[in-house]
Amino acid sequence: MSSPSPAPAGHLVLGTYLRHLRLARGLTAGRVSADLAREQGMSLSVPVLSRIESGQRPVSEAEAATLLRTYRCSRTESFSRGRRQLGDTTYATGGPEQLPVVDSVAGWQDRLAAVEHRANRARFYSQFLIPAFLRTDAYAALVENGLPEPQIGRPGVLGAGTVPVVILDASLLSRPWGGANLFTAQVQHLLNAMGTGRLDLRILPVDRNVHPPAHQRAEYHLQRGQRLHAAERASGVAYYAGSDNDARLGAHLDRAADQTLGPADSRRHLEHARAAASQGRLPPPC
């Protein structure tokens, strides 16, 4: 059976968010379809709902409002604004060549968190900040100061069974954000996560001179073989989809991964960074 054509990035984000809400309520697609027909008089078959959730079909304003009520989600206005931005017809073309689409309106953190939570596989590269799902509460509060409080918490948000590959630029560890105590606790949190076996964390030495084009880049493998790339900023996130983008951006991550330290050396470098931070020193160069 052939895989579906690449969905528009914006539709894929919106569909994954709706799927996350449905699964978070413990509802099957069949149950939702039957309830909508019986209680709302809306015909939304299981195949159509599946296509919406995988980004293969856009969700209409009326369908979105009804689904959000069914899932008891109160953020209808922020979803509506996100739908207008992510569903912009200028960028909503599927296929191999796609323009990036930016989500910078209210609720963008929740939509990104839903993508993180429902990914089957994920890879991350970060040059300046700890990825959101690996932050301690104190580190997250420092980074996200002034941003709206998300409904879906980012720390620890990755779905069960997902072992993400995280590539941290070694220069990140030379900037102890928040002071010695906060940063020491953050590095210890990374070491603890590595010890659980649910995190493949690798350090990219600065002398390798290999940097993906965005300071913070992520690759998500979603349902039906769909892939989504994201470049996060403080005020929003740019999404990329399509086989051309996947090949180009995936190659950047491949090159970075090939130049990282091994697991044992990465762990030792984190331990040195933790010791240096606790003593108010910069970590040794990597």
Side-chain angles (χ1 to χ4, degrees):
M1 182 178 179
S2 61
S3 58
S5 60
H11 294 171
L12 187 53
V13 173
L14 294 171
T16 301
Y17 179 71
L18 290 171
R19 179 170 180 260
H20 173 77
L21 294 179
R22 175 176 64 78
L23 294 176
R25 293 296 181 188
L27 298 171
T28 65
R31 169 71 180 277
V32 171
S33 178
D35 287 351
L36 291 178
R38 183 179 63 255
E39 300 171 7
Q40 306 288 340
M42 175 176 283
S43 177
L44 203 61
S45 67
V46 171
V48 169
L49 185 59
S50 178
R51 285 177 58 79
I52 289 173
E53 292 183 348
S54 61
Q56 296 291 320
R57 175 190 180 282
V59 61
S60 71
E61 190 75 30
E63 290 167 343
T66 302
L67 288 171
L68 292 174
R69 285 197 302 271
T70 300
Y71 303 150
R72 300 197 297 277
C73 177
S74 61
R75 295 196 169 181
T76 54
E77 176 57 30
S78 64
F79 184 87
S80 179
R81 293 177 62 192
R83 177 186 166 278
R84 288 194 293 271
Q85 186 173 48
L86 290 168
D88 187 330
T89 54
T90 305
Y91 306 99
T93 302
E97 297 182 11
Q98 295 188 31
L99 294 172
V101 59
V102 175
D103 189 1
S104 59
V105 297
W108 70 266
Q109 291 171 289
D110 288 327
R111 289 184 285 275
L112 177 56
V115 169
E116 290 176 339
H117 196 87
R118 297 303 166 185
N120 301 314
R121 291 171 54 197
R123 290 196 297 177
F124 299 85
Y125 165 80
S126 190
Q127 187 176 14
F128 295 130
L129 295 172
I130 303 296
F133 73 96
L134 285 173
R135 294 170 186 166
T136 62
D137 290 341
Y139 190 97
L142 180 69
V143 173
E144 297 165 12
N145 182 36
L147 293 175
E149 183 69 22
Q151 275 192 334
I152 307 172
R154 295 290 296 285
V157 77
L158 287 185
T162 301
V163 180
V165 175
V166 176
I167 302 169
L168 293 185
D169 196 290
S171 62
L172 183 157
L173 299 174
S174 67
R175 292 182 290 272
W177 265 51
N181 291 338
L182 187 151
F183 197 72
T184 299
Q186 174 62 72
V187 176
Q188 182 61 55
H189 182 68
L190 296 178
L191 288 166
N192 293 343
M194 291 180 72
T196 66
R198 291 201 59 218
L199 174 66
D200 182 0
L201 190 151
R202 309 176 193 180
I203 300 297
L204 178 64
V206 294
D207 61 5
R208 305 294 164 88
N209 200 30
V210 177
H211 305 294
H215 300 318
Q216 196 156 318
R217 173 75 65 185
E219 173 191 78
Y220 304 103
H221 294 236
L222 301 168
Q223 62 170 342
R224 294 192 173 189
Q226 300 280 5
R227 293 191 190 184
L228 188 67
H229 291 259
E232 187 177 353
R233 295 289 188 269
S235 57
V237 57
Y239 291 106
Y240 305 76
S243 54
D244 287 1
N245 281 324
D246 185 47
R248 177 175 60 86
L249 299 175
H252 288 305
L253 288 173
D254 290 341
R255 284 195 292 271
D258 288 343
Q259 296 296 318
T260 58
L261 301 177
D265 286 338
S266 293
R267 185 175 186 87
R268 278 193 290 271
H269 191 74
L270 282 173
E271 290 170 345
H272 292 159
R274 177 191 59 190
S278 67
Q279 298 168 19
R281 299 183 291 106
L282 293 179
C286 178

